[in-house]
Amino acid sequence: DVQLLESGGGLVQPGGSLRLSCAASGFTFNTYAMGWVRQAPGKGLEWVAGIRDSGTTTTYADSVRGRITISRDNSKNTLYLQMNTLRVEDTAIYYCAKEPQYCSRNSCYFDYWGQGTLVTVSS
Amino acid sequence: EIVLTQSPATLSLSPGERATLSCRASQSVSSYLAWYQQKPGQAPRLLIYDASNRATGIPARFSGSGSGTDFTLTISSLEPEDFAVYYCQQRRNWDTWTFGQGTKVEIK
């Protein structure tokens, strides 16, 4: 079974940093693109960042570009999200999610999601 | 940027009733639309992809339809476990992912 287990969330002050991890199992990690999606308390879903299977191509939402870096270690089956210069509005549950095998330029979705890790940015 | 608008915001229905949820795109997305279900305290779960294809393990009472700018998620007969929030989603040009704001299906 596909499993995605996030960790690394917590309380951080504005301007601080945090690194989230997502341990993947149950599938051939290095052949799938992955992404992070967040959900502020009581709000909807917001895509944050994505990374291709090899890790060579990354994409970001405008709201986080320049402050957040997505990466992966295929030897460890692990996805990361390095979050710097955190703002109060970055407070959210961060979900790690897996893309299916075949996505096209305008057609893609997330077929599996982790349970999420809560990031709280507050002084 | 494509905007996805879901309606209604809240749908109040009884178990056994039919639920019809709408997602409208600000420009054509062909048939490239997905639907997710999210229950309180849980991660989203993929229901439908490419407008009308049920994901693995999704019951047949869930169906999706539409193309272009207008899409519908139908739950033919609501079960108690179907009361949740539903989101539509689309990706554009490899790097622009958009979610609708969600429709909450609540028990009447």
Side-chain angles (χ1 to χ4, degrees):
Chain A
D1 286 3
V2 171
Q3 290 197 344
L4 300 170
L5 184 61
E6 302 95 335
S7 61
L11 175 63
V12 61
Q13 292 188 338
S17 297
L18 212 55
R19 188 176 85 155
L20 308 182
S21 299
C22 171
S25 62
F27 64 102
T28 307
F29 181 70
N30 63 7
T31 63
Y32 290 89
M34 301 288 295
W36 290 94
V37 176
R38 69 183 180 183
Q39 186 170 37
K43 302 298 184 182
L45 301 170
E46 179 189 18
W47 173 78
V48 174
I51 187 167
R52 301 293 286 270
D53 52 4
S54 63
T56 55
T57 301
T58 58
T59 53
Y60 298 93
D62 289 343
S63 58
V64 305
R65 187 175 290 113
R67 301 186 299 116
I68 284 179
T69 302
I70 188 172
S71 63
R72 64 193 296 162
D73 186 335
N74 286 342
S75 69
K76 296 182 179 179
N77 289 351
T78 302
L79 178 72
Y80 301 101
L81 193 69
Q82 177 66 45
M83 309 170 68
N84 299 327
T85 320
L86 282 161
R87 304 168 179 169
V88 171
E89 55 265 35
D90 294 320
T91 295
I93 296 173
Y94 284 74
Y95 296 102
C96 161
K98 170 188 166 294
E99 293 184 16
Q101 187 71 68
Y102 299 111
C103 280
S104 65
R105 177 177 180 172
N106 292 323
S107 172
C108 203
Y109 47 91
F110 292 117
D111 55 1
Y112 291 94
W113 298 63
Q115 283 304 301
T117 187
L118 177 62
V119 172
T120 303
V121 184
S122 175
S123 55
Chain B
E1 178 187 341
I2 294 177
V3 176
L4 299 177
T5 303
Q6 293 186 240
S7 61
T10 303
L11 198 53
S12 298
L13 295 168
S14 301
E17 288 193 295
R18 183 184 188 89
T20 303
L21 288 67
S22 174
C23 178
R24 177 164 289 178
S26 58
Q27 57 185 282
S28 177
V29 298
S30 186
S31 62
Y32 304 137
L33 191 93
W35 290 93
Y36 302 87
Q37 176 195 66
Q38 187 178 33
K39 298 178 183 179
Q42 296 186 18
R45 177 176 71 147
L46 177 69
L47 296 176
I48 302 287
Y49 64 93
D50 291 346
S52 60
N53 295 296
R54 271 190 304 277
T56 303
I58 301 303
R61 64 181 181 273
F62 291 92
S63 63
S65 63
S67 65
T69 60
D70 291 304
F71 299 86
T72 300
L73 174 69
T74 301
I75 310 171
S76 59
S77 178
L78 283 164
E79 296 288 339
E81 61 268 28
D82 298 337
F83 292 92
V85 179
Y86 294 83
Y87 295 94
C88 57
Q89 171 262 312
Q90 198 274 337
R91 185 178 85 171
R92 188 86 164 174
N93 291 332
W94 297 108
D95 62 357
T96 304
W97 293 71
T98 305
F99 289 91
Q101 81 279 18
T103 290
K104 181 179 182 180
V105 179
E106 65 176 23
I107 299 175
K108 186 175 182 180

